[in-house]
Amino acid sequence: MTTILTTPETKARRSRPLGLDVWTTVSLALLLLFGLFLLYPMFGVLKESVVDPDGGLTLSHFVRFLANDYYVGTVRNSFVVSIAVTVVSLAIGVPFSYFYTYYRLRGAKLLFVGAVLSCMSAPFIGAYAWILLLGRNGVATQLLESVLPFKIGSIYGFGGIVLVLSLKLFPLVSVYMNAAFRSIDGSLLEAASLMGSTGLRRVWQVMIRLTVPTLLAASLLVFMRAFADFGTPMLIGEGYRTFTVEIYNQYLGEVGQNHNFAAAIGIIGVIVTAAVFLFQKFAANRFSFSLKAGSPVQKRRPRGIGGALIYAYMYVLIALAMLPQLYIVYLSFRNNNQVVFLPGYSLDNYRMAMGRLLGRSVYNTIMFAVVALAIIVLVSVLLAYLVVRRANPVNNFVDTVSMLPYIMPGAVIGIGLVIAFNSPPLALTGTAVVMIVMLVIRRMPYTIRSATATLMHLPMSIEEAARSLGASKLKAFWRITVPMMGAGVASGAVLSFVAIVTEMSAGIILYNNRTITLTMSAYVAITRGSYGLACAFSAILTVLTAVLLAIYLRFTREEDVRM
């Protein structure tokens, strides 16, 4: 006869409803949060797109869009620009990452910081600076045309958009590819050399093919960022209009606002990006495999003419990428009269900024970023654990929903939040809360994917050992699993942070004077023709992001992303 001892803990466990434990509660809580702050606003956008002014259902807004070549052309323009930016970013970002990973370069840390800083600028700052440099009366334009026998044109239009966005987004390719190149086993490269595959042939036949999954992931990220960009085509697109600019004009434009039509354009944009996302997923699955470097490749020192060319490529590329921000910092100290910069230097632009919500802008930028990032990290860690360790239909559904903002233009999310929370019982529009919610929703996918990928490579046995020694589920999770996920979570969090501090496309729909950030302050100054003031706000944003990046590197020492 066997005697079963019943402890209070056993009784409590037996009395608990079947399947309801702490992780089930967390799963349901995350489902509720994503439902309230993501699915509900997106349903509002969909509803707005099929409602006429009288409240009846209609598809007239979609018919109007599809029947007008101008509107269809804005989506086509966005698509073409995004493909061009993706191709150019891969073309310059992959060699940059290859040299960075396989060569022992002097100033490597400076190159990495410069690359990340160049993609941390606000979406329109690069465009604004390039206008001052290569606009019709730009400094560089006048200098080049004085020595060249032909006109070089201007930064405006398709070519300018591709140039600005490519120099801004190629570091994202580099950050991804750094991790992929490090994961290649050195023995594979040695075997390829023995079989006669050397130089560029080995790079193409072995290294590029082994990193196809990462290339596809980096391509998708660059494409989505370029497709959703608002500031660059707004400033330098001129006649080359993209759909994000058209959404803004229809929703907040000074002439002919049409919120229903703006919602319809947003839905069409979501459909296009969803199709691209599904195609990328299909392609990635065809090339899906994992790499683990048993014998990492030893870095070489660049020598001779080839080494000089490598150094020239790396530093010239970073110099071009950083040139807009450095020029903005320089101009922030120049005297100016609205759109005209005058001889001499002073701190007048900064004094003017202090009287134009500078303190509030800095505070909001830091506060929103810190709070949003803290929430992102917490939710990402919890969701990654649920997906990897406790997979079920509910958790997989939440994971899928969490990725929706990855394929949604920011303006669509901004419109959805306004529709959902513009009236009681949750009247959040115009508050700091809705700004933080927007940042969390928009920028969480990077950290979620990084945390999930990291946890997939961690053995379950370590956590089970902690449980066998008496640790509770939560204690084993927080004390054992979370610290082991730290590096992967941090590498994803830096991408989320980069995007948070430079957010504009959704923020421009939601902000007001109480919730204004440095990015929005600079944009407002540009639209009002106060170029010196805009430079001051932009310079402060650049310095702030540089300081925060230095703190990140000091405590994490991460230089790649695990996706």
Side-chain angles (χ1 to χ4, degrees):
M1 181 176 179
T2 304
T3 302
I4 300 177
L5 298 178
T6 304
T7 64
E9 182 182 354
T10 305
K11 291 180 179 179
R13 189 161 53 242
R14 286 180 177 175
S15 63
R16 185 182 299 144
L18 183 62
L20 184 61
D21 60 7
V22 63
W23 287 113
T24 304
T25 304
V26 172
S27 178
L28 294 175
L30 291 179
L31 178 62
L32 177 63
L33 289 174
F34 279 108
L36 176 62
F37 292 113
L38 181 55
L39 294 182
Y40 176 55
M42 291 307 101
F43 175 77
V45 176
L46 179 61
K47 180 181 176 182
E48 187 91 349
S49 68
V50 294
V51 172
D52 60 27
D54 298 326
L57 294 178
T58 179
L59 294 177
S60 61
H61 307 301
F62 292 96
V63 172
R64 175 188 173 190
F65 181 92
L66 296 174
N68 191 314
D69 188 62
Y70 169 79
Y71 295 128
V72 175
T74 61
V75 175
R76 183 172 58 245
N77 289 346
S78 292
F79 196 80
V80 172
V81 161
S82 300
I83 291 177
V85 170
T86 302
V87 171
V88 174
S89 297
L90 290 174
I92 60 180
V94 171
F96 184 92
S97 178
Y98 175 83
F99 296 141
Y100 182 85
T101 304
Y102 291 114
Y103 287 89
R104 190 175 292 108
L105 301 172
R106 292 187 177 90
K109 184 67 69 175
L110 179 64
L111 289 171
F112 176 74
V113 172
V116 177
L117 273 179
S118 64
C119 70
M120 288 182 75
S121 64
F124 64 90
I125 289 179
Y128 167 52
W130 283 113
I131 288 174
L132 299 178
L133 287 167
L134 289 175
R136 295 184 179 90
N137 296 311
V139 175
T141 301
Q142 294 179 357
L143 177 63
L144 291 174
E145 290 185 349
S146 67
V147 297
L148 295 175
F150 55 86
K151 289 185 174 295
I152 64 170
S154 69
I155 197 70
Y156 298 100
F158 172 81
I161 297 174
V162 173
L163 170 67
V164 172
L165 289 180
S166 298
L167 288 175
K168 176 182 172 60
L169 297 178
F170 88 87
L172 297 179
V173 175
S174 176
V175 169
Y176 270 65
M177 293 304 295
N178 287 350
F181 281 139
R182 289 195 191 101
S183 66
I184 298 177
D185 197 312
S187 60
L188 293 176
L189 301 182
E190 293 174 4
S193 298
L194 292 175
M195 297 178 68
S197 180
T198 59
L200 291 177
R201 178 185 297 179
R202 185 177 67 172
V203 172
W204 175 252
Q205 292 182 336
V206 180
M207 305 181 75
I208 295 299
R209 294 188 180 185
L210 287 175
T211 57
V212 166
T214 304
L215 276 172
L216 291 172
S219 300
L220 180 65
L221 177 59
V222 172
F223 181 93
M224 294 300 183
R225 290 286 296 270
F227 194 84
D229 188 271
F230 163 77
T232 302
M234 179 73 175
L235 289 180
I236 66 175
E238 287 198 341
Y240 198 87
R241 286 295 184 181
T242 62
F243 95 105
T244 50
V245 176
E246 192 58 36
I247 291 177
Y248 173 80
N249 290 336
Q250 294 294 332
Y251 199 82
L252 293 175
E254 297 179 358
V255 179
Q257 293 182 9
N258 189 331
H259 292 182
N260 301 96
F261 189 49
I265 298 175
I267 294 298
I268 293 172
V270 170
I271 293 173
V272 172
T273 52
V276 173
F277 177 74
L278 293 175
F279 174 78
Q280 187 271 348
K281 293 288 288 184
F282 171 77
N285 290 334
R286 293 287 301 272
F287 296 96
S288 180
F289 52 84
S290 60
L291 290 173
K292 185 68 176 179
S295 55
V297 178
Q298 297 298 317
K299 288 189 175 185
R300 298 171 292 170
R301 286 197 176 278
R303 302 180 184 280
I305 297 178
L309 292 176
I310 290 174
Y311 273 111
Y313 179 83
M314 300 292 281
Y315 279 96
V316 169
L317 186 56
I318 289 298
L320 285 175
M322 286 292 296
L323 180 60
Q325 297 185 66
L326 296 176
Y327 190 58
I328 288 292
V329 173
Y330 162 75
L331 289 179
S332 69
F333 294 100
R334 285 280 302 272
N335 294 324
N336 81 292
N337 180 15
Q338 290 294 98
V339 298
V340 179
F341 287 92
L342 305 173
Y345 302 89
S346 69
L347 296 175
D348 289 346
N349 295 323
Y350 290 93
R351 294 190 187 98
M352 190 185 307
M354 293 180 66
R356 300 285 182 87
L357 303 177
L358 174 60
R360 184 179 301 173
S361 299
V362 172
Y363 173 79
N364 286 341
T365 300
I366 296 175
M367 191 270 286
F368 292 167
V370 170
V371 175
L373 194 60
I375 296 173
I376 286 172
V377 170
L378 175 62
V379 174
S380 299
V381 168
L382 292 174
L383 184 55
Y385 187 86
L386 291 171
V387 172
V388 177
R389 296 285 195 254
R390 300 175 65 87
N392 60 46
V394 173
N395 293 339
N396 291 335
F397 175 75
V398 175
D399 183 47
T400 302
V401 169
S402 72
M403 287 301 295
L404 290 179
Y406 193 73
I407 62 173
M408 287 184 180
V412 177
I413 294 177
I415 293 172
L417 291 173
V418 170
I419 295 172
F421 303 115
N422 201 35
S423 58
L426 283 177
L428 302 178
T429 303
T431 68
V433 173
V434 79
M435 293 290 288
I436 293 172
V437 167
M438 175 270 295
L439 292 171
V440 170
I441 290 173
R442 285 269 287 149
R443 305 311 182 184
M444 187 180 295
Y446 306 132
T447 309
I448 289 177
R449 294 273 64 81
S450 182
T452 302
T454 301
L455 188 57
M456 284 180 176
H457 293 90
L458 296 179
M460 183 69 176
S461 57
I462 300 177
E463 190 175 332
E464 292 174 343
R467 294 287 309 281
S468 67
L469 293 173
S472 64
K473 292 179 181 179
L474 283 179
K475 188 173 183 180
F477 172 71
W478 289 114
R479 294 289 186 87
I480 305 298
T481 307
V482 171
M484 291 192 299
M485 295 171 62
V489 173
S491 62
V494 71
L495 280 183
S496 294
F497 176 79
V498 165
I500 285 172
V501 297
T502 61
E503 172 59 41
M504 179 177 173
S505 56
I508 198 170
I509 294 175
L510 296 169
Y511 90 100
N512 56 30
N513 277 347
R514 291 181 300 169
T515 59
I516 196 167
T517 62
L518 284 170
T519 301
M520 298 312 308
S521 291
Y523 178 77
V524 170
I526 290 175
T527 58
R528 293 177 178 175
S530 300
Y531 283 9
L533 179 62
C535 287
F537 279 120
S538 301
I540 293 170
L541 178 61
T542 298
V543 172
L544 177 63
T545 51
V547 170
L548 294 175
L549 176 62
I551 294 173
Y552 166 82
L553 293 175
R554 172 67 178 82
F555 287 101
T556 65
R557 296 183 173 87
E558 285 294 315
E559 297 182 14
D560 55 53
V561 176
R562 299 165 178 81
M563 298 292 282

